[in-house]
Amino acid sequence: MVRGVPQLRRYGIERREFLRYLAAVSAIPSLPNLVTGQVVERPTFAANPFTLGVASGDPEPNGVVLWTRLAPRPLEPFGGMPAEAVLVRWEVAADEAFTDIVRSGATPAVPQLGHSVHVEVDGLEPHRWYFYRFHTGPETSPVGRTRTAPAVDVLPERLRFAFTSCQHYEVGYFNGYPHMQQEDLDLVVHLGDYIYEYAGNENRVRKHLGGEINSLNEYRLRYAQYRLDEDLQETHRLFPWLVTWDDHEFDNNYANLVSEEDGVSPEAFLARRMNAYQAYYEFMPLRRRSFPQGPNMTLYRSCRFGRLAEFSMLDTRQYRTDQPNGDHQKPLEGKVFDPRATILGEQQEYWLMATLLQSQATWNVLAQQVMVAPLNRGTPEEGRYSMDQWPGYDVSRRRLLRFLHERRVPNPVVLTGDIHLNWVNDLQLDFADAASPLVGTELVGTSMNNGGNGGNHIEEYERAARQNDFVKWYNSNRGYVSCELTPTSWTSHFRTTPFVDRRGSPLETKATFVIEQGRPGAERA
Ligand SMILES: [Fe+2]
């Protein structure tokens, strides 16, 4: 924390203010001493406390994180739970009937963490399905299904996963999820905008409870409202997830300590960030390594699938410098070329490069939020680029691409969310030079539902798709992307749902693209 003080001063925070703030933060108990008083071993509940379902995530060869949260009345403050710690027992079985229980234990669900439970199970066998459930008092949770990762030295025949992002409760339903549930997946990857922070609005398909969220309880209530969506909850029950966030888990287009709105003090913004990050941790199946420390939370991490794939889960929000040139869409000029600007932050960037250098994987996946390819949305004469995406951080972007090229990182594939559209992009070492080598591939997933039914002709993007040579494909439907990786190829099916304003949409596969091992760039199948 102290290391952050000079940086805080840059943003106009006085040391005295900051220390007062730190004192408030330090009142939050740290993980080991959360349980100081009595743990209620045999609680009783007025209603079933497992309304928010179960989830699992961050798989490793020997284990996985199991998640639940006790909330008999999930839309009331504190989920309808008393302010006391309650004992939750858990079981992992090799079979769905729980005749062969392989691991079990007990853990307290504490009010300071909203009675959420994160169990890091180990001692499991690699690359196999398991079933799990929780008990508290007389109540039992739904049975979840999860899968461990393959052993690190094994080259599995295949890995199947789906990725999505940008689910806005008010805009409509999450119609991709029921179809995702039917797929034979090892994993689901979420690239952020899991919730939206905005106030409830009339005349939309569904309505957020309350105003724009700010306090810890408001963030918790928003997550509870989303997780009560049965399609989302069921998809958590069926597969382990790898999650990262984008901006809306906290605040639209934020950059580190800087709000997109003028006049928000960094101190108030940090306090809000602390609430947002804690609620995110509480609701996601994350390991203890991601436990929030005040307004900071280390979410970047890697997940290996034997020698077939390594996922680097990135966080392009928490450590970035402010969007250059006042954000929005601008020509590439001025602060875009600031050598001190960064989108990953120094520490995460070093970690990413070390991870890529050490990787034994055939496919090196960068799962992150904002587009890497420099998409010109303007005209050739008057360029317009998103200052919120990697092109706004030109030095960071070039450094990453040069690293992938010079270090010969095998088969880099960037997964991107954020913009509610599909793009398939070649990643060139130097986009200004048509003869420049390809260093990787970018697959941009559309939104689960934000933006409404979609599929309409958007002239700005039609033109961008034509005039940016690296674009292989563009699409404006809603949905998700389903990927199958083998040692020789990566196949991506771009699944779309024609409508989201009511439930029950059919599924279409708009396009399929294949990347051959050793040859960057996707080709339409
Ligand atoms: Fe979004």
Side-chain angles (χ1 to χ4, degrees):
M1 295 292 280
V2 175
R3 251 183 308 155
V5 170
Q7 193 188 4
L8 288 168
R9 190 164 296 134
R10 249 180 58 209
Y11 290 109
I13 299 183
E14 290 302 316
R15 187 179 172 79
R16 189 163 39 84
E17 265 184 329
F18 184 63
L19 290 177
R20 201 179 331 123
Y21 171 74
L22 267 191
V25 168
S26 65
I28 296 173
S30 59
L31 187 60
N33 53 23
L34 275 173
V35 187
T36 46
Q38 205 82 38
V39 178
V40 181
E41 291 195 21
R42 288 188 188 78
T44 54
F45 300 92
N48 188 314
F50 294 107
T51 54
L52 298 169
V54 297
S56 69
D58 280 18
E60 289 185 0
N62 69 341
V64 68
V65 179
L66 308 179
W67 176 96
T68 193
R69 183 177 176 106
L70 306 181
R73 291 188 295 277
L75 298 180
E76 290 182 12
F78 312 108
M81 287 291 290
E84 51 195 12
V86 169
L87 196 71
V88 177
R89 289 175 295 120
W90 54 270
E91 295 170 314
V92 178
D95 63 321
E96 201 167 0
F98 285 81
T99 54
D100 183 11
I101 293 174
V102 294
R103 303 289 283 175
S104 61
T107 187
V110 301
Q112 293 93 331
L113 293 174
H115 293 97
S116 60
V117 172
H118 299 75
V119 178
E120 291 189 37
V121 184
D122 58 13
L124 302 182
E125 288 172 27
H127 210 198
R128 56 160 299 169
W129 288 104
Y130 286 97
F131 299 87
Y132 62 94
R133 66 185 176 193
F134 300 91
H135 308 278
T136 183
E139 308 286 348
T140 296
S141 76
V143 172
R145 191 182 73 169
T146 192
R147 187 164 171 78
T148 50
V152 291
D153 57 344
V154 166
L155 182 61
E157 273 176 34
R158 62 175 41 80
L159 159 67
R160 293 196 184 98
F161 76 94
F163 72 93
T164 191
S165 64
C166 301
Q167 49 198 36
H168 193 315
Y169 188 84
E170 293 203 319
V171 167
Y173 296 93
F174 306 149
N175 282 343
Y177 283 127
H179 296 287
M180 208 187 269
Q181 291 159 20
Q182 303 302 313
E183 298 212 28
D184 180 14
L185 304 173
D186 297 277
L187 191 66
V188 171
V189 175
H190 200 287
L191 301 176
D193 292 351
Y194 187 99
I195 58 161
Y196 282 79
E197 79 278 24
Y198 301 121
N201 285 286
E202 300 299 335
N203 306 319
R204 304 192 91 170
V205 180
R206 298 193 280 187
K207 190 179 175 193
H208 283 153
L209 291 168
E212 178 149 339
I213 51 180
N214 206 311
S215 70
L216 176 57
N217 281 332
E218 287 165 350
Y219 276 100
R220 285 170 166 169
L221 179 66
R222 186 59 55 86
Y223 279 99
Q225 191 179 15
Y226 274 61
R227 196 61 74 79
L228 286 172
D229 178 281
E230 59 187 279
D231 299 324
L232 175 60
Q233 188 178 124
E234 177 69 0
T235 312
H236 276 289
R237 189 184 73 80
L238 288 175
F239 308 105
W241 284 42
L242 273 178
V243 298
T244 184
W245 56 34
D246 194 15
D247 49 340
H248 290 284
E249 284 84 352
F250 170 25
D251 187 33
N252 183 43
N253 278 16
Y254 79 96
N256 196 335
L257 310 177
V258 184
S259 169
E260 63 163 344
E261 290 152 48
D262 293 333
V264 178
S265 82
E267 194 186 28
F269 203 56
L270 268 181
R272 184 178 171 194
R273 191 170 102 172
M274 177 174 73
N275 298 335
Y277 285 11
Q278 181 175 338
Y280 185 80
Y281 172 81
E282 285 181 4
F283 274 88
M284 294 297 153
L286 290 168
R287 289 181 182 270
R288 218 167 290 130
R289 64 188 171 199
S290 298
F291 195 79
Q293 304 290 329
N296 303 315
M297 182 168 148
T298 309
L299 195 57
Y300 64 83
R301 63 206 188 280
S302 83
C303 177
R304 282 195 276 184
F305 269 75
R307 290 191 291 115
L308 184 58
E310 177 151 9
F311 290 81
S312 293
M313 304 298 296
L314 304 182
D315 172 359
T316 60
R317 289 291 167 192
Q318 189 174 180
Y319 314 104
R320 66 159 74 189
T321 47
D322 197 13
Q323 288 91 346
N325 303 340
D327 203 356
H328 307 298
Q329 295 177 12
K330 302 281 168 60
L332 295 179
E333 62 185 23
K335 281 265 167 85
V336 164
F337 302 108
D338 181 353
R340 290 162 306 171
T342 174
I343 190 166
L344 293 176
E346 203 172 301
Q347 220 170 327
Q348 180 177 206
E349 187 173 323
Y350 286 158
W351 165 85
L352 173 62
M353 289 178 173
T355 301
L356 293 171
L357 282 179
Q358 291 162 21
S359 170
Q360 303 291 311
T362 302
W363 301 100
N364 285 286
V365 189
L366 278 63
Q368 54 96 52
Q369 296 77 28
V370 290
M371 190 128 94
V372 173
L375 187 79
N376 180 5
R377 296 160 163 81
T379 61
E381 301 76 45
E382 204 185 334
R384 281 195 295 115
Y385 299 81
S386 169
M387 296 292 104
D388 187 53
Q389 299 170 9
W390 285 78
Y393 299 78
D394 187 75
V395 175
S396 289
R397 188 178 62 79
R398 282 177 196 274
R399 198 161 51 223
L400 174 66
L401 294 170
R402 201 167 53 239
F403 179 86
L404 296 176
H405 177 67
E406 288 177 355
R407 297 307 185 116
R408 301 263 179 274
V409 173
N411 302 299
V413 178
V414 175
L415 306 181
T416 300
D418 176 49
I419 46 176
H420 316 163
L421 298 164
N422 290 123
W423 298 87
V424 176
N425 299 326
D426 285 342
L427 293 179
Q428 282 177 280
L429 178 60
D430 178 1
F431 284 87
D433 173 7
S436 173
L438 297 191
V439 301
T441 313
E442 181 171 37
L443 306 172
V444 183
T446 186
S447 60
M448 176 53 72
N449 75 336
N450 200 5
N453 288 344
N456 30 7
H457 183 95
I458 306 169
E459 183 45 39
E460 177 187 354
Y461 291 115
E462 299 287 339
R463 191 182 61 215
R466 282 194 304 271
Q467 75 180 15
N468 290 273
D469 289 339
F470 56 80
V471 174
K472 291 281 184 66
W473 186 64
Y474 141 81
N475 174 56
S476 58
N477 289 89
R478 306 284 88 90
Y480 64 94
V481 186
S482 179
C483 302
E484 177 169 335
L485 285 58
T486 73
T488 55
S489 67
W490 171 315
T491 305
S492 298
H493 303 289
F494 289 83
R495 315 279 202 213
T496 61
T497 52
F499 56 84
V500 295
D501 57 359
R502 56 199 190 280
R503 292 190 76 199
S505 164
L507 189 73
E508 294 173 6
T509 299
K510 276 275 163 179
T512 295
F513 278 83
V514 178
I515 310 164
E516 298 295 341
Q517 197 281 121
R519 199 185 317 154
E523 297 296 337
R524 191 144 185 183

